[in-house]
Amino acid sequence: MDSQAPIRVLLIEDNPGDRRLLQELLRETISVHIQLHHADSLSQGIQQLKETPFDIVLLDLFLPDSQGFATFEQLHQQERNVPIVVTTGLNDETLALNAVQAGAQDYLVKGQITGELLVRSIRYAIERKRAEQKIREQAALLDIATDAILVRDVQNQILFWNKGAERLYGWTSAEALGQKTTDLLYTLDDLDRVQPAQQQLMLENEWQGELNQVTKTGQKIMVESRWSLVRDDDDQPQFILIVSTDITAKKQLEAQFFRAQRMESIGTLASGIAHDLNNILTPVLTTAQLLQMKPSNLDERSLHMLQVLETNARRGAEIIKQVLSFARGAEGNDTVLQVGHLIREIQQIIRETFPKSIELEVDVPGELWTISGNPTQIHQVLMNLCVNARDAMPQGGKLEITAENLTLDENYVRTNLDARVGKYIAITVADTGCGIAPELLDRIFEPFFTSKDIGSGTGLGLSTALGIIKSHRGFITVMSSPESSAAASGVSERGTQFKIFLPAVVATHRSDIGPSEALVGNQELILVVDDEAPVCEVTKASLEAYNYRVLTACDGLDAIALYAQHQNDIQLVILDMMMPSLDGATTFRVLQKINPQVQAIAVSGLPYHNAKLTSVASLKIQGFLAKPYTIEELVKVVHTALQTES
């Protein structure tokens, strides 16, 4: 707006006293030149607007030919491009607020108007309307784009909705305008991810990232969204311009690719085999522990053999757990992770599967920060780097895996385009292998590029790793000294070092029950349900050893009958999820009909997030116990469930 040009104001007011007061207030103003025109009725005001251009309208809601909200509504329909400020009495503020929600730029209460307030409201309304119009005009130019473009205010109400948004979300412009984005585009679960984005937007005036959203039909989609905040002259937030691109298909293809690569390594039967093996190992592990609880009946050799049995049962369970963690896919939300746990899992896999000629060194400090991410994907990245290191040392060598806390400052960020200032976990995978030639270093992350022999690799491992780390807002650096370069420079060290940087997060950990706490029961009655008779038997014996009373059922129907008979005494049900005829989830729902307050622990040889256990998440259970479980794990989860009940 030209600061020298006068502001043309149309005052629609039938009360001579109020009109004179506003004229006097504007006449006292020296900061801006205002030309005031007036009309005594709404019809007269509309006629003047048709004949003469005005910058703004001051509108009294109660006129001789129109009363209340209808006054604003009629004028707004006639003149949508002229900003309107409504004036009202003390008793009609609610009415004025309704007008603002419907499109008025501001409202003023008679009796509380000062010259400074009046001028500020006029200028603010004009600038806000022009900013809104500018955004609308710019977005209109992109109406043919495939991207969804919308404008919302700071209360999340939608002010503009382009054709791309209609195509992506299914809502027409008429249906979307005035609605809140939080109601229209997100489920309750997804709103938690929107809040941090909103906070960053207010601090930095822009935000970019991926969001889970829903369409009109309830279909879940993922978008890559760019938000820009528009502020007024007083630096107050006004509008948010949002441009979103549908990346659902891209993400689905990436997920398929990740799954295909994993299944190439381990096969499609891992989950089913693991379930059966866990059922077999549960009684083996628990029986070995039960027998050791009565050492007076055993000679030293027998006790030692039981300890060997327990150790190897645990080892088998860990191997199954590692296979499952690698095989079950990248589905599910990110979670707070302790990197040290993943590295220890990989350490065990390496010791079991890599050639003995490769010396492994692992250095993971206990005070490592946590990260937010997908454990399967991070596991995949680390395993891929370790396998590459193994292949680079066919005659043997040294493989080092280290982790450390790092705080990156401005100096470091200036030397790495992908880095940002902040706290990181740095994981290093280093080998003493053949190294990477300098001319190949810039190409190693390209899809399908490989320096291995034909048939020895797809060339997709490092490109996949890079994509995963970037999706976790991290980055990777690499240094390599091939054998020829090391010899030429006189350096004795050769090999390759990959360093992964992942942003650290602050995690709040719930303290688990410690082994030193009293876990002995008080003769509570527990119903154990499992179609595997040995599992029932050892679970019963374990609980009885800790002063619990136990009933056992061999299937869901037997469990329902026993529970109906003893429901007043049974305080907890330990329920296997994978049973023939009547599975655990169905059995639990029937028990809930008998007693809505039934307490239960779910048990399975499959991991909690397995696709076959999707129904478990919807059950109101007190805990989940993965087979094979130790006696300590069993009594801990039972103790916790009973404590919760009490």
Side-chain angles (χ1 to χ4, degrees):
M1 182 172 64
D2 185 356
S3 60
Q4 303 302 318
I7 299 176
R8 297 177 58 84
V9 179
L10 174 61
L11 171 63
I12 305 178
E13 171 65 73
D14 66 319
N15 187 310
D18 290 338
R19 185 168 65 241
R20 281 195 298 272
L21 175 62
L22 292 176
Q23 287 173 333
E24 288 298 321
L25 290 173
L26 291 175
R27 192 173 291 120
E28 294 172 359
T29 303
I30 59 174
S31 60
V32 64
H33 183 200
I34 293 178
Q35 290 182 358
L36 183 66
H37 301 256
H38 76 270
D40 296 321
S41 65
L42 180 62
S43 57
Q44 185 181 347
I46 292 174
Q47 185 61 36
Q48 287 197 42
L49 285 166
K50 290 180 180 178
E51 297 171 353
T52 308
F54 287 92
D55 297 308
I56 189 170
V57 175
L58 297 177
L59 175 67
D60 181 23
L61 293 177
F62 293 88
L63 298 168
D65 55 347
S66 182
Q67 299 287 308
F69 181 77
T71 305
F72 166 77
E73 193 173 34
Q74 188 175 347
L75 180 62
H76 187 53
Q77 289 176 353
Q78 291 284 337
E79 295 291 336
R80 288 192 174 273
N81 293 326
V82 179
I84 301 171
V85 174
V86 298
T87 60
T88 183
L90 284 169
N91 298 326
D92 297 313
E93 273 197 81
T94 302
L95 187 63
L97 281 171
N98 291 339
V100 170
Q101 291 172 352
Q105 298 300 322
D106 202 355
Y107 77 92
L108 298 169
V109 179
K110 294 178 180 179
Q112 298 179 357
I113 304 174
T114 64
E116 182 182 350
L117 176 63
L118 179 58
V119 171
R120 181 178 178 182
S121 180
I122 288 172
R123 299 191 70 169
Y124 172 81
I126 293 172
E127 291 303 323
R128 182 179 177 189
K129 190 70 176 181
R130 289 184 177 180
E132 178 184 340
Q133 186 63 28
K134 183 178 180 181
I135 292 175
R136 287 177 182 272
E137 291 170 356
Q138 291 173 341
L141 296 175
L142 301 173
D143 215 17
I144 59 172
T146 56
D147 289 341
I149 302 171
L150 60 125
V151 178
R152 65 174 174 87
D153 61 19
V154 291
Q155 283 78 38
N156 288 320
Q157 282 192 325
I158 298 170
L159 306 176
F160 177 77
W161 188 264
N162 81 329
K163 294 294 182 184
E166 289 185 353
R167 288 188 293 268
L168 177 57
Y169 299 112
W171 301 95
T172 65
S173 179
E175 292 171 328
L177 293 180
Q179 298 290 327
K180 288 191 173 183
T181 56
T182 48
D183 297 334
L184 210 64
L185 304 179
Y186 303 98
T187 65
L188 289 176
D189 293 336
D190 296 330
L191 282 177
D192 291 339
R193 296 170 179 262
V194 177
Q195 193 63 31
Q198 184 75 14
Q199 292 171 353
Q200 182 179 336
L201 178 71
M202 291 300 168
L203 291 173
E204 302 179 8
N205 294 328
E206 60 181 23
W207 177 84
Q208 181 172 335
E210 296 177 357
L211 292 171
N212 292 318
Q213 296 182 332
V214 291
T215 66
K216 182 179 180 179
T217 60
Q219 178 187 356
K220 292 185 177 182
I221 60 173
M222 180 173 282
V223 300
E224 186 178 62
S225 198
R226 284 86 69 198
W227 296 2
S228 297
L229 179 63
V230 178
R231 296 180 180 270
D232 61 20
D233 290 342
D234 296 324
D235 203 36
Q236 295 301 308
Q238 267 191 309
F239 307 106
I240 296 102
L241 173 64
I242 300 175
V243 181
S244 296
T245 305
D246 185 10
I247 58 171
T248 310
K250 174 187 173 185
K251 288 294 180 181
Q252 289 172 344
L253 287 173
E254 286 178 357
Q256 291 173 15
F257 171 71
F258 295 152
R259 280 195 296 270
Q261 191 183 42
R262 284 189 302 274
M263 297 313 289
E264 192 175 281
S265 304
I266 59 176
T268 58
L269 299 179
S271 181
I273 294 172
H275 175 264
D276 293 339
L277 287 176
N278 282 332
N279 271 322
I280 293 169
L281 284 173
T282 298
V284 174
L285 177 58
T286 313
T287 300
Q289 292 181 317
L290 279 172
L291 291 174
Q292 290 178 69
M293 292 173 68
K294 299 179 180 180
S296 59
N297 299 331
L298 301 169
D299 57 35
E300 186 176 345
R301 178 174 174 78
S302 298
L303 186 61
H304 174 71
M305 295 304 292
L306 284 173
Q307 291 170 348
V308 171
L309 181 62
E310 180 187 350
T311 300
N312 282 274
R314 286 177 180 270
R315 182 181 173 192
E318 284 300 314
I319 292 174
I320 294 168
K321 181 180 177 182
Q322 289 154 11
V323 171
L324 280 172
S325 71
F326 190 72
R328 63 177 172 251
E331 296 84 355
N333 296 325
D334 289 352
T335 185
V336 175
L337 301 175
Q338 177 51 260
V339 171
H341 297 161
L342 288 176
I343 293 177
R344 279 187 281 275
E345 287 183 4
I346 289 171
Q347 177 183 2
Q348 190 158 352
I349 291 177
I350 290 173
R351 294 197 190 281
E352 295 289 339
T353 61
F354 278 28
K356 301 302 179 185
S357 58
I358 294 178
E359 177 189 353
L360 175 64
E361 285 191 9
V362 176
D363 182 13
V364 180
E367 67 278 5
L368 267 185
W369 296 325
T370 54
I371 65 169
S372 175
N374 185 301
T376 303
Q377 291 185 352
I378 301 299
H379 191 287
Q380 180 182 354
V381 170
L382 296 176
M383 201 64 223
N384 189 289
L385 294 178
C386 290
V387 168
N388 283 351
R390 178 202 65 189
D391 294 344
M393 300 183 289
Q395 307 303 320
K398 186 177 182 181
L399 172 60
E400 291 181 281
I401 306 174
T402 60
E404 59 183 327
N405 298 326
L406 286 179
T407 301
L408 303 187
D409 56 17
E410 292 284 357
N411 291 331
Y412 187 93
V413 169
R414 277 193 283 269
T415 64
N416 193 308
L417 294 176
D418 296 321
R420 291 188 177 184
V421 173
K423 297 181 182 298
Y424 284 80
I425 301 297
I427 308 169
T428 303
V429 178
D431 64 67
T432 57
C434 57
I436 304 171
E439 65 271 15
L440 301 181
L441 271 178
D442 291 336
R443 299 192 58 196
I444 59 174
F445 291 109
E446 293 179 8
F448 305 109
F449 175 80
T450 179
S451 59
K452 296 180 182 179
D453 295 336
I454 296 175
S456 299
T458 62
L460 296 172
L462 287 178
S463 62
T464 300
L466 181 63
I468 290 173
I469 297 304
K470 281 191 172 182
S471 74
H472 285 74
R473 302 173 301 283
F475 60 97
I476 304 177
T477 63
V478 57
M479 293 188 296
S480 188
S481 297
E483 187 173 8
S484 56
S485 299
S489 60
V491 178
S492 58
E493 288 290 335
R494 64 185 179 96
T496 303
Q497 180 193 88
F498 284 90
K499 201 163 193 174
I500 300 169
F501 294 81
L502 292 166
V505 298
V506 177
T508 302
H509 295 286
R510 179 182 62 83
S511 58
D512 294 328
I513 300 172
S516 60
E517 295 187 35
L519 302 176
V520 176
N522 191 27
Q523 284 292 298
E524 294 94 336
L525 183 60
I526 299 174
L527 175 60
V528 176
V529 188
D530 201 303
D531 62 308
E532 295 281 343
V535 174
C536 272
E537 186 178 345
V538 295
T539 303
K540 180 175 189 277
S542 301
L543 291 171
E544 287 177 343
Y546 276 79
N547 200 33
Y548 294 102
R549 293 180 297 133
V550 181
L551 293 174
T552 60
C554 61
D555 57 31
L557 294 174
D558 190 19
I560 293 167
L562 278 171
Y563 191 84
Q565 184 180 354
H566 300 279
Q567 62 173 301
N568 293 330
D569 296 326
I570 294 174
Q571 292 181 257
L572 185 67
V573 181
I574 299 177
L575 187 59
D576 185 34
M577 290 291 105
M578 303 289 289
M579 295 187 296
S581 301
L582 205 64
D583 64 16
T586 306
T587 302
F588 179 74
R589 292 189 182 98
V590 175
L591 295 180
Q592 273 189 315
K593 292 188 179 296
I594 298 174
N595 175 15
Q597 306 303 319
V598 61
Q599 308 288 306
I601 295 169
V603 179
S604 179
L606 293 176
Y608 182 76
H609 293 293
N610 189 278
K612 294 182 180 180
L613 296 180
T614 51
S615 58
V616 176
S618 64
L619 302 178
K620 294 182 179 179
I621 57 174
Q622 275 57 57
F624 180 82
L625 192 58
K627 295 177 181 177
Y629 45 81
T630 64
I631 295 177
E632 183 181 357
E633 290 169 342
L634 172 65
V635 294
K636 273 186 179 180
V637 74
V638 168
H639 179 86
T640 303
L642 292 174
Q643 289 293 106
T644 303
E645 179 188 9
S646 62

